[in-house]
Amino acid sequence: MENIDKSKEEIFCDDHLLHDVDVHTHGGHLHFHSHSHHHDHNINIDSLNKAFVWGIVLNSLFVIIEFIVGFLFNSVGLISDAGHNLSDVASLILAMLAFRVAKIHSNQKFTYGYKKMTILVSLINAVILLAAVAFIVYESIHKIIVMQEVEGKMISITAAIGVLINGFTAWLFLKDKEKDLNVKGAYLHMAADCLVSIGVVVSGIVIIYTGWYWIDGIIGLVVAAIIVFSTMDLLKDSLCLALDGVPKGISVKDIAEDIHKMDNVEDIHHIHIWAISTTENAMTAHVFLKDILLLEQTKHQIKHYLKKHNISHSTLEFEVKGSDCDEKNCDCH
């Protein structure tokens, strides 16, 4: 190859001049490093931003209403729930800020920008949800042990307003909840609040007709169990991404096998896949080629495959016969 001494060669990827391929020699052998950065825009950021704003405004107003009603009618339950809802408003604000911070451009210190912030916030939100469950359990047990006379009608009316507000907010995040952990966290917060409000409505109605004040605590415990069950996946997935684990829905084994089956691929090894943010994934790998002259064609084929499997950032080192894999603990074959 004539231009083998050039440190970098411009290449065309998907009909656009995007990246560089580093070409260098090591131990008399050729190594080609291809860097690709595709962005997956499955989520409409503007629409999502509006959803967060609506959620924050509506739930803030409800917190104020709930606190006032609880204070006027001497309802510890409503005042406590207002505090719980205030924590949800804080979670929504954190999630929205995380998405905005993630859009800040990368720099010399943070080469991927601040995209990881979305993962950290999703983990924080999962912890907040579990903390809220602990609070609900405490309040529910307290209501069962120390039964207090409450105004069932006003509690039901106030809680019904909460069902509408929380249900509407949860609906705003419904279509994107499986695309991003932060959105899923916001959805779970609002859905959990909606369940709590429904429970309060039911308990208020039961109290009106029966005077069974302890029913409020029983329903609270049932709701807490439902929230824990729905939150565990969020906590597990967030913790996995925070520790640079392989994102959910991606199999390293399947990806390696599929790439290995490509015509010009002799072998693929030293694969690492992790999440840059709650919506973008990255991968590095060493690819052993049968014919170096078909590098461009093979590279395009691999990039296209990875993009279909939700891996938008990839760095590939292409090796040829006789190349040495000099990285420690490399699983070369």
Side-chain angles (χ1 to χ4, degrees):
M1 297 175 64
E2 292 181 3
N3 299 324
I4 203 67
D5 293 328
K6 293 172 64 178
S7 62
K8 291 188 176 182
E9 294 183 354
E10 293 182 328
I11 62 171
F12 284 86
C13 182
D14 298 332
D15 299 322
H16 296 283
L17 184 59
L18 293 176
H19 316 292
D20 295 318
V21 173
D22 294 336
V23 183
H24 66 272
T25 61
H26 177 77
H29 307 295
L30 300 181
H31 292 269
F32 298 77
H33 302 272
S34 176
H35 310 277
S36 179
H37 304 284
H38 299 284
H39 298 279
D40 191 359
H41 299 290
N42 288 328
I43 295 179
N44 187 319
I45 299 299
D46 291 333
S47 174
L48 189 59
N49 188 63
K50 289 179 181 178
F52 276 117
V53 171
W54 271 105
I56 291 168
V57 171
L58 289 175
N59 283 274
S60 296
L61 289 174
F62 181 61
V63 166
I64 296 172
I65 293 171
E66 195 171 28
F67 179 81
I68 292 173
V69 174
F71 180 78
L72 293 176
F73 289 89
N74 196 31
S75 172
V76 178
L78 282 180
I79 294 175
S80 299
D81 193 49
H84 164 61
N85 284 325
L86 186 60
S87 72
D88 288 340
V89 172
S91 295
L92 289 176
I93 292 173
L94 278 175
M96 184 177 71
L97 288 177
F99 272 104
R100 292 191 175 185
V101 169
K103 294 169 68 175
I104 298 176
H105 295 301
S106 59
N107 52 53
Q108 293 296 318
K109 188 173 179 64
F110 296 95
T111 56
Y112 275 124
Y114 300 90
K115 299 177 186 293
K116 203 84 168 183
M117 184 68 72
T118 58
I119 295 175
L120 294 178
V121 168
S122 69
L123 182 58
I124 291 171
N125 275 335
V127 173
I128 290 175
L129 268 171
L130 292 179
V133 167
F135 183 76
I136 292 172
V137 169
Y138 173 81
E139 282 296 316
S140 298
I141 294 175
H142 179 73
K143 288 177 183 178
I144 294 172
I145 296 174
V146 184
M147 290 187 292
Q148 294 179 334
E149 185 175 344
V150 293
E151 177 59 54
K153 184 177 180 180
M154 282 308 302
I155 289 177
S156 293
I157 293 174
T158 306
I161 296 173
V163 171
L164 294 176
I165 291 176
N166 293 321
F168 174 71
T169 309
W171 175 78
L172 291 176
F173 298 112
L174 180 62
K175 63 184 177 67
D176 292 322
K177 72 181 181 72
E178 296 303 327
K179 300 176 184 177
D180 181 88
L181 282 182
N182 252 329
V183 180
K184 185 176 183 179
Y187 170 81
L188 287 175
H189 272 287
M190 294 301 102
D193 277 353
C194 189
L195 280 175
V196 171
S197 296
I198 290 173
V200 175
V201 170
V202 172
S203 64
I205 293 173
V206 172
I207 288 171
I208 290 172
Y209 290 100
T210 66
W212 296 346
Y213 300 115
W214 51 266
I215 196 69
D216 193 26
I218 298 297
I219 291 178
L221 291 175
V222 172
V223 169
I226 295 172
I227 296 173
V228 168
F229 181 76
S230 62
T231 302
M232 292 313 296
D233 277 345
L234 175 66
L235 179 63
K236 182 175 66 176
D237 292 343
S238 298
L239 188 59
C240 175
L241 296 189
L243 296 174
D244 285 339
V246 178
K248 187 176 182 179
I250 295 178
S251 168
V252 174
K253 181 182 178 182
D254 290 345
I255 286 176
E257 289 179 351
D258 289 345
I259 293 178
H260 189 269
K261 292 175 183 177
M262 294 180 184
D263 292 339
N264 192 40
V265 175
E266 181 73 31
D267 190 19
I268 179 169
H269 50 259
H270 209 61
I271 302 173
H272 298 282
I273 303 175
W274 71 99
I276 297 172
S277 72
T278 49
T279 57
E280 297 177 67
N281 301 317
M283 169 178 155
T284 60
H286 292 190
V287 183
F288 191 90
L289 301 179
K290 296 176 182 177
D291 187 349
I292 196 62
L293 297 179
L294 298 177
L295 183 149
E296 283 296 304
Q297 178 182 332
T298 307
K299 176 180 65 62
H300 285 300
Q301 187 179 8
I302 295 174
K303 300 293 184 185
H304 181 68
Y305 169 82
L306 293 177
K307 189 175 180 181
K308 286 174 59 179
H309 286 75
N310 199 28
I311 299 176
S312 52
H313 297 250
S314 58
T315 301
L316 304 174
E317 178 174 334
F318 291 100
E319 301 171 339
V320 293
K321 188 175 183 180
S323 296
D324 293 322
C325 183
D326 60 352
E327 298 196 29
K328 293 180 179 180
N329 301 319
C330 178
D331 53 340
C332 301
H333 305 292

